[in-house]
Every structure is written in structure tokens, then in C-alpha cells.
Amino acid sequence: MKPTLAIAFYPIKPIYSSRILSGEKKYELRKRLPKNPFDYILIYATSPIGKVVGYAKVKMIHKNTVSDLWEMVSLHAGITKDDYINYFNNSEYAYAIELETVKRFTRPFDPKEINSFFSIPQSFCYISRNDFNRLKRRKGEHVQI
């Protein structure tokens, strides 16, 4: 029996979430990852948007030194090298979540629609597969990445 994988809810700055939704950015960069494996990320565009804007299927997770990861992802990271270096300042390792399928919601929505007790996490949280399956039925369009 295949283990049930989790869905990670990620708050992402609007500049980067829009680059994911345009297909320009195919790697979401992180200093650390959740302990449990996950096969999708739910994309929440932070303030001033404050809405869930889409989701993406995870193709692979990459971990490497900060400099080596940059060499691998730089063309599709959606970030400048200076911003990348500043973000990973004092980090030995960097992670890149490689995205393979992205869906942009036609009508972005308030995360309280996931459930009424939902609270925006600082780095990430998990959502249930049932909640995610319900959200996947929302109207949207697939993005070429």
C-alpha cells in the first residue's frame, strides 16, 4: 500500500507566487522542508493579496550547498542571484522544490474556505487530502512550466 503523502500549504510572496503561476518559476526555494514527504503545494500569495492562488505538483526535492543549488536552478528560480544569496545568508544548504504541474485558480480564495479555523502559518503547514481534493475541483487553468 502506497503511503499517504501530505499537501503542504506555503505562504509565498506575491512576486514569487505570480512567477510560479506564469510558468517562469519552476523551483520554490526554502531553507528547510517539512519532515513528512509531500506531493503537492498549495500556493498562498501573502499580503497584500492574501489569497490561495493555485497549487502545484511536486516533481522532486533538491538539496545541495547554497552555491551548487544556485548553479542548478538559477535559470528557473524566478529570483536574482543577489536575492538568492541574501535569502540563504548563513545557510550551509538550500532546498529547491521542483514543480511539474501548476494550476492557477480562476478565482483566488480566502484560506478560511479550507476550514473556518485555518490560520496562516509563517513557513508552511499541512492540509488534509480531503480538503485538498475539494479545492482541486475549483475552476482554474493549467500553466506550462
Side-chain angles (χ1 to χ4, degrees):
M1 185 171 149
K2 184 179 177 184
T4 301
L5 296 176
I7 294 89
F9 177 100
Y10 272 108
I12 301 173
K13 290 180 180 179
I15 188 171
Y16 301 122
S17 61
S18 68
R19 289 176 183 168
I20 291 171
L21 297 178
S22 74
E24 174 186 349
K25 179 176 170 65
K26 72 181 227 177
Y27 295 100
E28 173 57 17
L29 304 170
R30 293 289 157 156
K31 293 178 184 177
R32 51 189 91 52
L33 293 175
K35 292 184 186 207
N36 296 328
F38 54 99
D39 53 352
Y40 285 91
I41 64 168
L42 193 58
I43 303 164
Y44 171 76
T46 59
S47 181
I49 295 172
K51 302 277 185 186
V52 178
V53 294
Y55 66 87
K57 181 162 181 36
V58 175
K59 181 176 185 178
M60 184 180 292
I61 305 288
H62 303 276
K63 175 187 177 185
N64 215 323
T65 62
V66 172
S67 59
D68 286 347
L69 191 76
W70 175 253
E71 292 302 317
M72 186 185 106
V73 305
S74 62
L75 295 178
H76 301 285
I79 190 172
T80 66
K81 185 172 185 176
D82 286 345
D83 287 344
Y84 176 89
I85 297 301
N86 286 335
Y87 177 70
F88 287 109
N89 186 29
N90 297 323
S91 297
E92 183 177 355
Y93 292 101
Y95 297 90
I97 303 167
E98 185 176 354
L99 309 174
E100 71 176 329
T101 307
V102 175
K103 183 176 180 182
R104 174 182 34 235
F105 292 122
T106 303
R107 291 189 195 127
F109 60 92
D110 187 295
K112 292 283 186 198
E113 291 185 40
I114 296 170
N115 72 55
S116 59
F117 301 106
F118 194 83
S119 177
I120 306 300
Q122 192 165 16
S123 62
F124 83 93
C125 69
Y126 295 112
I127 66 163
S128 76
R129 181 153 306 271
N130 286 343
D131 284 340
F132 183 63
N133 286 337
R134 182 175 41 80
L135 298 173
K136 281 175 40 177
R137 292 191 291 264
R138 288 178 168 266
K139 285 188 176 185
E141 57 191 27
H142 290 278
V143 176
Q144 290 291 97
I145 57 171

